[in-house]
Amino acid sequence: MKNKTNIILLLLFCGCTFFCLLGCNHNNTGQQISLQNDQITLSFDKNTGEFTSFLKSDNSYEFLDPRIIAKSLWEIDLLRPSGKETINMTTPSEFHFSKQDPYNLVLTWDNFIGIENNDIKITATIKLEKNEPLSSWKIAVEGCEGEKVSRVVFPIISGIKDMGNENLAAPKWMGEKMKNPRDHLLKIQGKEKKYEWDYPGRMSLQCIALYNDAKKFGLYVSCNDSLAYRKNFSYKLDSLNSLTYKMTNYPSIDSSANVYSPSYEAIIGSLEGDWITAAEQYRAWGSKQKWSSESRFNKGLTPQSLEKTALWEWNRGKSSNVLVPAKDLMQKLNLPVNVFWHWWHGCSYDDGFPEYFPPREGKESFITAVKSAKNEGINPIVYMNQMQWGTNTESWEKENALSYAVKDINGNTRTHVYNVFTNKSLTTMCMGTQFWKDKYSSLCDSAINTYQTSGVYMDQACFSILCYDETHGHSIGGGNYWLKNFAKLTHKIRSKFPQNNDTFLAGEGVSEAWLPYLDAFLTLQVSMERYAGDNGWEPIPFFQAVYHQYAITYGNYSSLIVPPYDELWPKEFAPEDQMKLLDKSYNKQFLMEQARSFVWGFQPTISNYQGFLSSERKEEIDYLLNLARVRYRGLKYLLHGKFLRSPDMEFPEEELEMSRLSIYAGKTGESITTFQKKYPLIYSGTWKSDDNQVGIALASISDHPYPVNFSINSIDYELPLSGTINIIDAEGKRFITTYSDGKIKVNFTLLPKELCIVEILPNL
Ligand SMILES: [Zn+2]
């Protein structure tokens, strides 16, 4: 350790500043150092490195609140035998900067005082793009040999002031948006008023938009990591109603390394537009990454039996309750129906995993039923959780599962009671262990080769968990080993697939990083009201806006029946009315969920289908069948298309009665099961096909006709100046008008509950 006196002398002679941030604020009068292009200007305090101003270069808007006490740009956790030591810009040190040109700034902190290792040096490199309102931020931690660097938070952008009419849009799997997020954050009880998303995991891509929805400007934050390293993104509400944005990086803990510097940069920019603008901006980068070119759908590796799915039936229980209704549905639709099958397994749901075999109805009955369904063209895929093991199962002890379970930083397992009826817990297994990959792939082998199913739905697939077990053979803590091992797992599973067979793997959630590994992605936000109620967030097709042409998304909790209760769970919590019809007042919720999935480019799904619904809920089932038929005529848009912004239209709204009974029934206490909220009665989604044609999907759930009337410029959709406009509906395709001089005008009446695709075909 160096002598403190020498350091102070050094400071005096070098003119560097020994500082403490406490008490400084954004309008401090210290000299500023700025990076500027014609779009944005970023300023930092010359003496401290504090980020003081983020200004649009035309002076039209300052993003940072001058009243806010400054916070450090970075924060680093070092694990020591004596405990965790956290350092940040308030830790006494020397600060230097170097600005080589108007676009590049290097900030350095070294000679830390009062910490165990003063060889540590932190460098933050901030660069402006020349002609874009974007900046990139990169950190390096040097001199850390012998240290366990477990967490590096960078950048920390504090003091983000209220832009007014704010919307926060985050790619939580499919995507969610919230109006006035500060109001909602304020209501959070507890220490931290924060929204946080883990990546790769529940956050499906690395971009968040916070913007003024009236004036269409805001903040664009993203990351250009193409290797899916583990990190978190968050927005937190601080004092004086300001927000702090943080990107938290989780390095692999490697005390032999002298430097930690991520291979990627954080991107901070000003956004001119809304979440769709942000998605388009991110898409320009994301679609060039390997996960897009290697995506199974893009490479034609997804089987035809999956691509041709016209409708999914998501049922639970024995084959008589699952495959028999699916046959009925297929006869009515006369198009391919596939089955997403839960509760087929011998164990009870959410506590007996992975003791799936034999199926609860017995081996022979199951295989006979599956073969019969497949003969009729129905492809059933079965549920198997790809990371949980029931801690109360016999196999947990017998197979010594504990050794291969994820351990947190304190050596504890990740154990959770999902099943509130049996109170038995599940523990997360480590994807990095060969044991778990062998175990799960052998289960898939049985499901596919012995039990003849068409594939496996891998529950909790799009997650990556930090594991600190040093005996597992993977890098410790963060890094990107989880995804690499998921790739190995799916490779191993597929190596046992029958040749020339339509077998596939689906998974929970959706993520850019999983595009090369899964054939289909379950994106349930489309029906989020059923599990989240009215929590301030609403679904948006953020993921589809970026990656629709690279991923097949499906799934919906949309049901006309009170959800079922697993027959293997305790009888005392079983509701009397399970599998009975839901009240008719929730019929429009069903239509709305289906309409969303149609216009947002999903493969449609009905949950809990039974044959009697076609007479008891005729209008709703007819709507669904019609929807599947219209969609089937427009697969070039709704399956393969690239997302475009829909034309501006004013849609009427209505207060709907919403059920939030969730996925399965049964109650252990009183909970809210219904609410009312206003929703649009018309839904639209616009898609461009590979051959440069545009399809605008429209779905009405209204009881009244709606006059469709919009004008768009062909140039905005990169279309030629003249062409033809058709309408595709269940009957076929009909011509309505032509357009010329680049002016596209569409005017017709959408009938009550009508579904169609307005097709714009350019003249060649
Ligand atoms: Zn592990």
Side-chain angles (χ1 to χ4, degrees):
M1 185 169 295
K2 291 178 185 169
N3 182 303
K4 222 180 238 185
T5 319
N6 285 346
I7 290 171
I8 293 166
L9 285 172
L10 189 74
L11 287 171
L12 290 171
F13 283 108
C14 296
C16 300
T17 308
F18 172 80
F19 70 91
C20 174
L21 271 177
L22 296 172
C24 302
N25 60 30
H26 279 150
N27 70 349
N28 69 20
T29 51
Q31 287 183 302
Q32 307 294 305
I33 175 165
S34 296
L35 295 177
Q36 182 169 21
N37 66 15
D38 58 356
Q39 309 252 359
I40 54 172
T41 306
L42 309 181
S43 300
F44 299 81
D45 188 289
K46 246 181 186 170
N47 298 318
T48 64
E50 178 201 347
F51 187 32
T52 53
S53 166
F54 179 177
L55 185 68
K56 288 199 194 186
S57 291
D58 61 3
N59 283 321
S60 62
Y61 192 74
E62 166 63 62
F63 287 98
L64 304 185
D65 187 336
R67 298 171 302 162
I68 300 301
I69 302 290
K71 291 196 183 70
S72 183
L73 275 177
W74 50 266
E75 187 171 278
I76 292 159
D77 285 352
L78 305 166
L79 292 185
R80 302 260 166 71
S82 53
K84 185 176 77 179
E85 180 167 21
T86 300
I87 60 168
N88 59 31
M89 275 165 57
T90 66
T91 311
S93 68
E94 291 175 32
F95 170 70
H96 324 258
F97 68 86
S98 143
K99 184 183 166 189
Q100 288 153 356
D101 58 51
Y103 305 114
N104 288 284
L105 178 64
V106 179
L107 310 175
T108 309
W109 295 261
D110 56 13
N111 280 320
F112 284 87
I113 294 170
I115 69 168
E116 213 169 291
N117 171 6
N118 67 0
D119 290 337
I120 288 204
K121 175 178 159 186
I122 312 296
T123 307
T125 306
I126 298 130
K127 289 184 186 176
L128 277 194
E129 298 290 327
K130 274 190 182 161
N131 303 309
E132 308 270 348
L134 299 173
S135 59
S136 65
W137 300 57
K138 193 175 171 79
I139 192 164
V141 183
E142 293 170 71
C144 53
E145 190 175 347
E147 294 284 359
K148 291 181 172 178
V149 182
S150 63
R151 199 177 67 111
V152 175
V153 191
F154 177 82
I156 303 172
I157 311 293
S158 56
I160 301 166
K161 66 184 189 193
D162 194 339
M163 298 170 217
N165 286 305
E166 271 183 342
N167 274 229
L168 176 62
K172 185 177 173 188
W173 280 342
M174 179 188 131
E176 294 180 2
K177 177 165 78 79
M178 174 177 266
K179 284 181 187 161
N180 303 318
R182 293 172 208 245
D183 294 349
H184 290 278
L185 281 161
L186 198 59
K187 289 179 201 155
I188 294 177
Q189 302 294 321
K191 205 172 62 171
E192 289 198 306
K193 299 182 184 307
K194 180 167 82 168
Y195 294 124
E196 186 164 31
W197 306 270
D198 50 325
Y199 178 90
R202 278 197 179 83
M203 188 164 170
S204 62
L205 52 94
Q206 304 162 82
C207 163
I208 301 171
L210 177 71
Y211 59 96
N212 178 318
D213 198 32
K215 296 181 182 167
K216 304 293 180 197
F217 77 92
L219 267 184
Y220 173 90
V221 297
S222 73
C223 177
N224 61 11
D225 173 15
S226 60
L227 298 173
Y229 280 94
R230 189 66 174 74
K231 57 185 97 67
N232 284 3
F233 298 77
S234 65
Y235 265 109
K236 183 180 156 191
L237 188 69
D238 297 324
S239 58
L240 296 171
N241 198 36
S242 81
L243 287 176
T244 293
Y245 167 72
K246 285 183 187 179
M247 189 167 98
T248 301
N249 307 277
Y250 293 95
S252 294
I253 295 178
D254 178 5
S255 49
S256 68
N258 197 39
V259 181
Y260 166 70
S261 182
S263 56
Y264 50 83
E265 293 149 332
I267 310 295
I268 308 288
S270 120
L271 174 70
E272 296 300 325
D274 54 14
W275 73 266
I276 295 178
T277 322
E280 288 166 344
Q281 203 164 307
Y282 186 79
R283 180 171 68 190
W285 175 81
S287 60
K288 286 189 202 123
Q289 304 312 306
K290 204 172 168 190
W291 50 55
S292 295
S293 58
E294 295 288 308
S295 101
R296 294 187 60 78
F297 189 39
N298 185 53
K299 285 180 86 174
L301 296 173
T302 44
Q304 284 298 301
S305 61
L306 170 62
E307 293 188 15
K308 287 186 174 163
T309 313
L311 184 57
W312 284 92
E313 181 220 61
W314 181 2
N315 276 24
R316 295 161 189 266
K318 294 176 184 140
S319 59
S320 55
N321 198 52
V322 178
L323 300 183
V324 173
K327 286 180 186 176
D328 174 79
L329 197 51
M330 184 147 148
Q331 274 165 11
K332 288 191 170 74
L333 180 61
N334 207 19
L335 288 171
V337 169
N338 283 340
V339 169
F340 179 35
W341 192 351
H342 278 44
W343 301 1
W344 59 275
H345 36 74
C347 60
S348 101
Y349 184 69
D350 265 358
D351 70 13
F353 307 156
E355 296 179 353
Y356 298 102
F357 300 104
R360 59 183 62 181
E361 68 186 85
K363 184 175 179 179
E364 300 228 332
S365 166
F366 184 92
I367 293 174
T368 306
V370 168
K371 281 185 175 169
S372 161
K374 285 171 85 175
N375 282 338
E376 297 195 29
I378 293 169
N379 297 283
I381 59 166
V382 288
Y383 173 103
M384 285 201 289
N385 192 298
Q386 54 82 61
M387 67 178 184
Q388 303 287 358
W389 201 311
T391 320
N392 293 78
T393 58
E394 207 181 304
S395 55
W396 173 259
E397 295 290 335
K398 211 166 145 188
E399 298 183 42
N400 187 26
L402 175 63
S403 297
Y404 311 102
V406 164
K407 310 296 181 325
D408 69 13
I409 205 159
N410 300 311
N412 300 316
T413 57
R414 199 170 172 272
T415 300
H416 183 73
V417 176
Y418 292 89
N419 192 331
V420 294
F421 310 118
T422 66
N423 255 328
K424 291 177 182 167
S425 55
L426 295 173
T427 290
T428 305
M429 300 303 294
C430 180
M431 189 61 70
T433 63
Q434 193 59 41
F435 169 84
W436 178 245
K437 289 194 287 288
D438 289 346
K439 175 73 184 176
Y440 191 78
S441 57
S442 82
L443 293 168
C444 292
D445 184 4
S446 298
I448 290 155
N449 293 308
T450 306
Y451 290 92
Q452 302 287 306
T453 65
S454 299
V456 174
Y457 161 76
M458 304 171 70
D459 200 29
Q460 298 189 306
C462 295
F463 279 100
S464 66
I465 317 293
L466 299 167
C467 178
Y468 295 83
D469 191 323
E470 293 180 13
T471 68
H472 286 177
H474 54 70
S475 53
I476 305 304
N480 61 358
Y481 68 87
W482 193 279
L483 183 73
K484 286 179 181 169
N485 279 284
F486 188 91
K488 286 181 189 168
L489 172 68
T490 50
H491 183 74
K492 193 172 166 69
I493 295 169
R494 287 196 173 95
S495 71
K496 295 282 174 61
F497 276 7
Q499 291 293 309
N500 304 317
N501 194 305
D502 274 351
T503 311
F504 55 91
L505 296 176
E508 184 182 13
V510 66
S511 171
E512 59 191 8
W514 272 260
L515 290 173
Y517 313 120
L518 290 173
D519 299 291
F521 296 87
L522 187 77
T523 45
L524 293 171
Q525 272 85 17
V526 69
S527 50
M528 63 183 287
E529 289 84 357
R530 291 201 192 240
Y531 58 86
D534 182 14
N535 67 353
W537 292 99
E538 57 179 292
I540 50 169
F542 202 148
F543 187 84
Q544 284 86 348
V546 177
Y547 290 117
H548 184 258
Q549 65 273 41
Y550 301 103
I552 295 176
T553 53
Y554 79 109
N556 208 324
Y557 285 129
S558 196
S559 170
L560 295 160
I561 286 179
V562 173
Y565 182 85
D566 189 346
E567 60 194 343
L568 302 179
W569 289 343
K571 299 281 178 280
E572 63 262 38
F573 302 120
E576 284 173 15
D577 58 351
Q578 58 173 309
M579 301 302 284
K580 297 254 175 68
L581 283 168
L582 270 172
D583 191 90
K584 280 185 177 170
S585 57
Y586 306 118
N587 287 353
K588 254 195 186 153
Q589 178 181 13
F590 176 87
L591 298 184
M592 179 198 67
E593 293 162 334
Q594 296 298 340
R596 281 175 174 169
S597 81
F598 170 72
V599 302
W600 290 344
F602 283 54
Q603 289 186 337
T605 303
I606 179 169
S607 284
N608 312 315
Y609 177 75
Q610 295 295 331
F612 65 82
L613 288 172
S614 55
S615 54
E616 295 290 326
R617 290 290 181 267
K618 186 173 186 319
E619 195 180 352
E620 289 68 37
I621 296 300
D622 285 349
Y623 186 86
L624 176 65
L625 299 178
N626 183 38
L627 178 152
R629 290 184 188 118
V630 177
R631 174 184 171 275
Y632 220 64
R633 292 178 182 277
L635 292 184
K636 64 194 284 186
Y637 308 114
L638 296 176
L639 179 66
H640 297 281
K642 178 179 164 184
F643 180 94
L644 296 176
R645 185 185 290 277
S646 280
D648 278 339
M649 284 178 268
E650 287 280 327
F651 294 144
E653 291 188 340
E654 188 177 293
E655 188 158 273
L656 301 188
E657 198 70 30
M658 303 292 285
S659 162
R660 57 158 307 184
L661 279 177
S662 195
I663 26 172
Y664 32 82
K667 284 205 283 181
T668 52
E670 287 306 309
S671 55
I672 296 165
T673 56
T674 183
F675 67 97
Q676 294 82 35
K677 196 178 171 185
K678 271 193 169 180
Y679 288 94
L681 295 172
I682 312 291
Y683 292 83
S684 74
T686 301
W687 305 90
K688 181 169 261 192
S689 66
D690 291 343
D691 54 358
N692 201 35
Q693 300 177 352
V694 170
I696 303 168
L698 291 167
S700 167
I701 62 167
S702 176
D703 302 321
H704 306 286
Y706 171 74
V708 176
N709 189 355
F710 63 84
S711 301
I712 52 177
N713 294 319
S714 66
I715 197 167
D716 293 337
Y717 290 78
E718 294 175 10
L719 290 169
L721 292 174
S722 65
T724 302
I725 297 165
N726 297 320
I727 287 186
I728 299 170
D729 60 21
E731 306 304 316
K733 189 184 286 198
R734 60 193 156 89
F735 166 83
I736 54 166
T737 187
T738 57
Y739 76 90
S740 57
D741 300 328
K743 302 284 179 203
I744 300 170
K745 284 189 179 170
V746 175
N747 193 342
F748 71 100
T749 300
L750 192 66
L751 298 173
K753 316 269 167 63
E754 190 179 354
L755 296 130
C756 71
I757 302 168
V758 176
E759 185 176 55
I760 305 169
L761 306 180
N763 285 343
L764 297 174

